[in-house]
Amino acid sequence: AQSKWIGPAADSNGSGGLHTFRIRMTIPDDLDASAMKLIGSWTSDNEGLGVRVNGVVAAGVVTDGNFAALHAFPDAAGLGLFQTGENLVEFLVNNAGAGPVGLRVEGVVGQGTAPGDLSTGHGLRGIGPLSAGFAEGRYSAEDAEGQPVELTVLAPAAGWLDNAAGSRWIGLGTDGKALTYTLSFDLGLEVNPDRVRLAGGWTSAPAGGEVLLNGVSLDLPSADPAALAEFPAAAGEGLFLYPTNTLTFVAGAPGEGEPAALRVDALWMQVTEANPFDISTGFDETSAVVLNPGDADSQYTLILPDATEVASTVITGAPIPPWIANSVSSAWIGGDAAGGNADPGEYVYRTTVALTADQAAEAVISGGFAADDSAADVRINGVSTGLATQSGFLALTIFPADFGLGLFQEGENTIEFVVSNGGEAANPSGLRVDAVVRVPSGGSQKPGDCTQDGNLDISDGICLLGYLYLGTPAVLPCEGGTTADEGNRILLDSNGDGNVDLTDAVRVFGYLFLGSPPPVLGTGCVTISGCPDACE
């Protein structure tokens, strides 16, 4: 639907030797030509010998003569070769002998978008940001009467924040209509929606009204067109759906003849945090990083069909097509690191989590899981929940709301995934879990929360600096760590290096304002007046 084969003749026949297919295109002067690259894929009959941009060969852009498949342009293909104004792109195709010769390109010249990009002013298929006057390709809009409105990219009016390298103003020039802007987007089948947050900011003209994620208001203050209104830390957390979502901006009503416009410079991002209640496969819950292929996953024991217990390992070569991909927060595990092969039969993956009585009373499992061939059940402390995979290994099966509520107990708890592997001989089998056991936070478990108000914001960074340099006491309970016996192992060690110093304040501020990784539950110690000294 998006591309067709072309050649020298309707019957596709041509002479043997080199054929050069040329296309000329113009990059406007308000776009950054140095950031432009080839995005998409191509194929040819026979070999694609290369692609030249303005007479210079783009590194690594070739095909092997397999014209039954499209071949993706490598990352940064042609980057640095484009220029403002007219550009010449040439595809060099070899014809092995007189006969069929052809080219098929399904791509664009553009900057592309970062993973999770929600910014305004972009077209479809990676084009953008676009120049003023172009149609907005991703956002749709309705006026106050519910009628659809065609959006275009706008140059900023007087008093508006300037356009930026990654986003543009969009809207109506001088129509005087109040608009509601909507973007539908997918997280991807491999992403756990519970780990996703909004980052960046937005603004609108006139001063804006409301932001909704999947129909739920984020209760944000109105935006001023002279500046971006930043999304607060953890914006949207718990509101994302799997996998399709809708983000809506309700702008204020302009006066007669005034412009209605929106500018979003934001993205959705996956967040991983150190959490002792994380039960994700192939994930180190202490350092909050995915394990390497071939590493043992000490959190999971694998029980074979003959009841033998073995170690689980992160599968090398996973995801095995068509398994869903690994993510920043979980990886496929199995009994055989090299390919995940297993004999037909039933396999049980077991993990444990320790809870206090208060935690157990409200504990639930949140996230999702996948299995090859399938999982027939999830058992909590030996009790069957009857939850089976809905899509096997093709997508995550999301745990229902309040899953496991009432099945946890004080002390150690077992969680088991019962996985079936079919076939007549050994074949790939594995489990991927991306989930946590959610327990009452009680305020004391939030890394970096120096003020202990249950939120992570600028006041926590100021609190930490005051504690370090002004002698201001930190508001901390005696049991600031993950368990009672950790005593004064506190939340201020935000980077987890065992020290409480300036780098921890940098970690907090970086997360809040620069998109850096979030604080972790650290191991640093301080002596707190009135508390037992556990810093030995």
Side-chain angles (χ1 to χ4, degrees), residues 63-90:
T63 72
D64 58 6
N66 177 11
F67 43 77
L70 287 168
H71 307 274
F73 293 120
D75 291 340
L79 187 66
L81 302 182
F82 291 93
Q83 61 192 19
T84 301
E86 186 176 84
N87 292 261
L88 175 65
V89 183
E90 299 173 295

Side-chain angles (χ1 to χ4, degrees), residues 444 449-452 463 467 473-480 488 490-492 526 528-529 531:
S444 65
D449 184 12
C450 180
T451 61
Q452 284 292 285
C463 168
Y467 167 76
V475 183
L476 293 165
C478 294
E479 298 173 3
N488 301 344
I490 62 168
L491 309 171
L492 299 190
V526 295
I528 303 173
S529 177
C531 294

Side-chain angles (χ1 to χ4, degrees), residues 55-317:
V56 180
V57 174
V61 188
V62 295
T63 72
D64 58 6
N66 177 11
F67 43 77
L70 287 168
H71 307 274
F73 293 120
D75 291 340
L79 187 66
L81 302 182
F82 291 93
Q83 61 192 19
T84 301
E86 186 176 84
N87 292 261
L88 175 65
V89 183
E90 299 173 295
F91 294 84
L92 311 179
V93 176
N94 175 56
N95 196 22
V101 58
L103 172 72
R104 184 174 155 205
V105 179
E106 189 164 303
V108 297
V109 171
Q111 293 186 23
T113 54
D117 198 337
L118 306 171
S119 299
T120 50
H122 290 261
L124 299 175
R125 297 199 286 169
I127 304 176
L130 301 170
S131 300
F134 279 81
E136 159 65 33
R138 300 191 298 171
Y139 278 79
S140 61
E142 293 182 347
D143 62 20
E145 287 73 43
Q147 297 301 309
V149 172
E150 295 294 329
L151 297 172
T152 58
V153 177
L154 303 176
W160 293 7
L161 184 68
D162 286 341
N163 284 327
S167 67
R168 297 285 194 267
W169 283 93
I170 62 170
L172 299 177
T174 56
D175 206 294
K177 292 182 179 179
L179 299 182
T180 297
Y181 306 82
T182 300
L183 174 66
S184 293
F185 60 95
D186 281 356
L187 300 181
L189 295 177
E190 73 279 5
V191 175
N192 176 0
D194 287 344
R195 297 190 190 271
V196 179
R197 298 172 183 171
L198 291 171
W202 73 290
T203 185
S204 68
E210 195 171 19
V211 182
L212 301 94
L213 178 60
N214 294 316
V216 180
S217 175
L218 300 182
D219 294 323
L220 302 181
S222 295
D224 185 307
L228 285 177
E230 297 293 331
F231 289 115
E237 187 176 48
L239 297 179
F240 285 89
L241 301 177
Y242 182 78
T244 303
N245 296 264
T246 301
L247 185 62
T248 304
F249 296 87
V250 182
E256 185 65 31
E258 292 182 346
L262 172 74
R263 188 177 146 216
V264 179
D265 200 324
L267 70 157
W268 61 261
M269 59 185 295
Q270 298 179 73
V271 179
T272 58
E273 298 174 326
N275 185 343
F277 308 115
D278 199 309
I279 60 170
S280 299
T281 54
F283 183 74
D284 186 329
E285 68 274 15
T286 302
S287 61
V289 296
V290 174
L291 300 174
N292 294 316
D295 285 351
D297 186 345
S298 59
Q299 192 175 8
Y300 275 85
T301 298
L302 175 57
I303 305 170
L304 304 179
D306 63 3
T308 302
E309 295 187 5
V310 299
S312 293
T313 58
V314 179
I315 297 174
T316 301

Side-chain angles (χ1 to χ4, degrees), residues 22-67:
R22 292 175 173 161
I23 183 170
R24 299 180 187 274
M25 44 82 62
T26 300
I27 297 178
D29 57 11
D30 65 336
L31 298 182
D32 183 4
S34 66
M36 295 294 182
K37 57 187 177 181
L38 295 165
I39 303 169
S41 56
W42 69 304
T43 189
S44 61
D45 182 355
N46 294 103
E47 299 90 355
L49 300 180
V51 176
R52 288 194 299 241
V53 178
N54 296 318
V56 180
V57 174
V61 188
V62 295
T63 72
D64 58 6
N66 177 11
F67 43 77

